[in-house]
Structures are given as structure tokens and as C-alpha cells.
């Protein structure tokens, strides 16, 4: 049954695409701002820097993003989209400065790679300017690089296994001359298990709280029709 359903869905998309306004490929890049619990700068609340029961914040700094998006024409001004993005954020500098008793030789960095599908709708304002809104959902792969710190002459390495979580985003922006795009997105990249391995790698700690990753992103893109 699933096989027949997927085949029918694929056939429907192909038929609608053939009768639509065309397909587009968008390359985009920009900056990201962590919000809600993914931000913060308190060492006592930072999931990556301790194993207490209360940490729930990512203490992430502003970062950048890049990605690509395929827009498949379905109906007039309405596209079905598939997107793949990479978001990068490092640990907030104030959080590191507050860890005065430690020497941190490797600073953790967050990489989030969401793959999503959704819809995009454009409103034509005039010949050279359009407004778009879009929404998408899918999965996010979170990877965090290791942390290595020294306390009283003892060096400990912490690693964070990759995790997957449900993710979604919504956004709006403008299209100039059917070529340049400028948009802002709200990204909810899921509630990820905060798993930490330390010492010789055999010690594992999982926080009772999950790390909720939320980002605002500003994206400048180049769009090609095909």
C-alpha cells in the first residue's frame, strides 16, 4: 500500500509540475541568531559545560548558514519545495569567559543540518518585485564538536553523539527581478537529547532536559529557473 501511495504521489507531482510555471533552484547564505533556550550565556545553565540536573540552554552565539532549495512548480505561484541547509553556531564567548577555573583547548561548535519539504507561495507586486511566504517540515541532524578542558591540571574530553529530531520552519521574503531573494526564517530545529560522553568515552551522561534549538536566520539567495 505504501509503495502504491508513494508512486501515485510522485506521479501527481510530476503531472502538476509539467503544467506549472517552471521549476527553480535557489542557493542561499546568511546569518543566524539563536533564540530562546538555544541562546543564553550562563555557565550554570549550559548543557555542554556541566552535568548538573538543571542545564537546559545551548549558550550558542550568532553564526551563519548556507544551503540550497529546489522549488517545483505545482500551481500558479505555488511551489512544492525541498531544502537542505547547514547552520553553524559556536559557544557564547561570555559563557567561556565565566569558566575562569578552566583552560578550554577545544571549544564546542554546533552544526545543524535540516532536510525539509514544504510549500512556497509568491505574490507578484510588480514586474520586478514579488513577496513570498513559505513553510516546511522535516528532520534535523545535530552534530556538536568535542569540548576539551583542563581543571587543576587534569584534562577531560567531552564528546556529543549526533542526534536527530523533528524540525520545521516558516519564513517570508522578497524576490527581485526573479533572480535575487532576501528572506527571514524562524527555524525550530527540534528538541535533541543532550547526550555527553567524557573521560575515556565509557562514561555517558544524558541530561533530563532536551536541548531545544531555535534560530532566526537572514538569507540572501540567487535563484535559477530550469
Amino acid at each position: 500500500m505504501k509503495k502504491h501511495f508513494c508512486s501515485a504521489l510522485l506521479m501527481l507531482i510530476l503531472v502538476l509540475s509539467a503544467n506549472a510555471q517552471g521549476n527553480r533552484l535557489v542557493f542561499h547564505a546568511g546569518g543566524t541568531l539563536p533564540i530562546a533556550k538555544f541562546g543564553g550565556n550562563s555557565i550554570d545553565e549550559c548543557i555542554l559545560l556541566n552535568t548538573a540536573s538543571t542545564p537546559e540552554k545551548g549558550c550558542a552565539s550568532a553564526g551563519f548558514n548556507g544551503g540550497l532549495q529546489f522549488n517545483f512548480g505545482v500551481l500558479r505561484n505555488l511551489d512544492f519545495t525541498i531544502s537542505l541547509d547547514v547552520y553553524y553556531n559556536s559557544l557564547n564567548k561570555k559563557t567561556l569567559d565565566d569558566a575562569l577555573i578552566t583552560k578550554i583547548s577545544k571549544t564546542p561548535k554546533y552544526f545543524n543540518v535540516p532536510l525539509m519539504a514544504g510549500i512556497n507561495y509568491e505574490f507578484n507586486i510588480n514586474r520586478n518585485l514579488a513577496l513570498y511566504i513559505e513553510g516546511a517540515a522535516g528532520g534535523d541532524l545535530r552534530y556538536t564538536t568535542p569540548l576539551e578542558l583542563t581543571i587543576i591540571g587534569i584534562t577531560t574530553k567531552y564528546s556529543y553523539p549526533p542526534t536527530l529530531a523533528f524540525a520545521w520552519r516558516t519564513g517570508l521574503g522578497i524576490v527581485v527581478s526573479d533572480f535575487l531573494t532576501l528572506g527571514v526564517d524562524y527555524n525550530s530545529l527540534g528538541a535533541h537529547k543532550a547526550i555527553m560522553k567524557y573521560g575515556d568515552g565509557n562514561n555517558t551522561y544524558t541530561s533530563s532536559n532536551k536541548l531545544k534549538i531555535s534560530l532566526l536566520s537572514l538569507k540572501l539567495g540567487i535563484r535559477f529557473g530550469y
Side-chain angles (χ1 to χ4, degrees):
M1 180 64 73
K2 286 184 177 180
K3 183 177 180 180
H4 293 305
F5 175 77
C6 292
S7 298
L9 181 61
L10 178 59
M11 183 63 68
L12 176 62
I13 292 172
L14 291 175
V15 170
L16 291 174
S17 297
N19 292 281
Q21 298 298 306
N23 304 321
R24 300 181 180 93
L25 174 63
V26 185
F27 294 94
H28 56 253
T32 64
L33 181 66
I35 57 176
K37 292 184 178 181
F38 191 41
N41 53 33
S42 169
I43 188 173
D44 294 327
E45 296 176 319
C46 184
I47 282 180
L48 299 186
L49 288 176
N50 62 71
T51 57
S53 59
T54 56
E56 57 182 356
K57 292 188 176 181
C59 298
S61 67
F64 57 86
N65 73 84
L68 55 86
Q69 179 171 312
F70 296 96
N71 288 8
F72 302 95
V74 176
L75 299 172
R76 181 176 177 81
N77 296 331
L78 178 67
D79 291 345
F80 172 77
T81 70
I82 297 176
S83 61
L84 178 65
D85 292 279
V86 177
Y87 296 90
Y88 164 85
N89 298 85
S90 60
L91 203 62
N92 189 292
K93 186 176 185 303
K94 186 179 185 304
T95 304
L96 297 176
D97 290 342
D98 287 346
L100 298 179
I101 62 171
T102 67
K103 177 183 177 183
I104 300 178
S105 52
K106 289 185 179 179
T107 303
K109 297 174 178 61
Y110 291 105
F111 291 90
N112 286 279
V113 185
L115 175 64
M116 300 190 192
I119 57 173
N120 172 290
Y121 188 81
E122 287 190 17
F123 304 87
N124 294 318
I125 298 175
N126 57 45
R127 184 177 180 182
N128 295 311
L129 186 65
L131 174 69
Y132 74 83
I133 59 173
E134 62 183 19
D140 175 62
L141 171 65
R142 187 215 70 180
Y143 173 71
T144 304
T145 62
L147 161 68
E148 190 172 290
L149 54 80
T150 302
I151 303 176
I152 317 177
I154 300 174
T155 299
T156 305
K157 181 177 180 180
Y158 298 82
S159 61
Y160 312 93
T163 55
L164 285 170
F166 173 78
W168 60 271
R169 66 175 169 80
T170 183
L172 56 83
I174 59 173
V175 182
V176 180
S177 299
D178 202 33
F179 178 66
L180 292 176
T181 66
L182 177 64
V184 59
D185 287 350
Y186 170 76
N187 305 272
S188 178
L189 300 183
H192 291 260
K193 290 182 179 179
I195 304 171
M196 177 188 298
K197 293 185 176 182
Y198 55 96
D200 57 5
N202 293 320
N203 301 308
T204 301
Y205 169 77
T206 302
S207 173
S208 57
N209 297 299
K210 291 185 177 181
L211 175 57
K212 296 180 180 179
I213 300 177
S214 303
L215 291 165
L216 288 177
S217 61
L218 180 66
K219 303 187 296 188
L220 178 65
I222 300 176
R223 189 164 78 170
F224 302 94
Y226 62 96

